[in-house]
Amino acid sequence: MVESVPKGKTGPTVEGYLQGQFLIAMPTMGDPRFERALIYICSHSEEGAMGLIVNKSAPGITFNGLLAQVGIDPVLATPKNRDMAPMLEAEERPILFGGPVEPGRGFVLHSQDYLSKDSSLTVSPEVAMTATVDILRAIVRGTGPSRSIVALGYAGWGPGQLEMEIQENGWLICDMNEELLYGPEVDTKYERALATIGVDLSLLSGDAGHA
């Protein structure tokens, strides 16, 4: 894995690249950081790839704890704002382990009903990514995207590295599915992703190839 985010291409998935799709780690994945990982690819081009693991919770931090770290009051003390904010069951909302690169850096994947002109990256026609504190403020106020997940850190690949890993049967490919991306049942996303492409986990092996 490399420690840089490629520029990538925005908008619909470019032919030959996997932006806007999922990677499912094969059981033979040699890197323990990606064991049973489901990764949403945010950027993929000839320069490399960047994605977020969406099925692993970040240990030791809650949504309210993250808000406190960035100086946002989850209670929103003014009566006007309190009426606007449903609080989103904040303590039950998972913060995800997005990957081993820059684990202190936050990313929000979200529906396109919220877009910041200066800071939101269009990943696909349905999904955008924003990495600024403003979107957290909007979520708490009830003016943010209708669907979102928050992750710390990311996974990155250098030029041609992801393609090589796929050829070596390290990853399966799965089309975008909103419930896999945004659904609250984080611990079952891996099995559900396999089920969407008709793969039985018990039958997988290092020689299975990719779907």
Side-chain angles (χ1 to χ4, degrees), residues 24-28 172 190 194 197-211:
I24 308 171
M26 287 285 284
T28 52
L172 296 169
Y190 182 76
L194 288 172
I197 57 174
V199 173
D200 184 341
L201 179 60
S202 66
L203 300 179
L204 282 180
S205 73
D207 299 322
H210 63 84

Side-chain angles (χ1 to χ4, degrees), residues 127-191:
V127 180
M129 181 175 71
T130 304
T132 58
V133 173
D134 288 344
I135 190 171
L136 295 179
R137 294 193 181 97
I139 289 171
V140 172
R141 290 172 179 145
T143 59
S146 58
R147 307 200 78 176
S148 63
I149 56 173
V150 182
L152 297 177
Y154 68 92
W157 294 262
Q161 185 179 0
L162 178 56
E163 291 85 343
M164 183 179 298
E165 291 181 7
I166 292 172
Q167 290 175 358
E168 293 174 348
N169 296 321
W171 303 98
L172 296 169
I173 300 166
C174 175
D175 288 337
M176 164 62 182
N177 178 307
E178 286 197 358
E179 287 310 308
L180 287 177
L181 185 61
Y182 301 120
E185 297 178 350
V186 173
D187 294 339
T188 65
K189 286 184 179 182
Y190 182 76
E191 290 80 3

Side-chain angles (χ1 to χ4, degrees), residues 2 12 14 18-19 26 33 51 55 62 65 71 81 90 92 118 142 145 159 170 178 180 189 196 198 200 205 207 210:
V2 297
V14 179
L18 299 176
Q19 184 168 319
M26 287 285 284
R33 298 172 300 177
N55 69 322
T62 63
N81 284 339
E92 298 180 7
D118 298 325
E178 286 197 358
L180 287 177
K189 286 184 179 182
T196 65
D200 184 341
S205 73
D207 299 322
H210 63 84

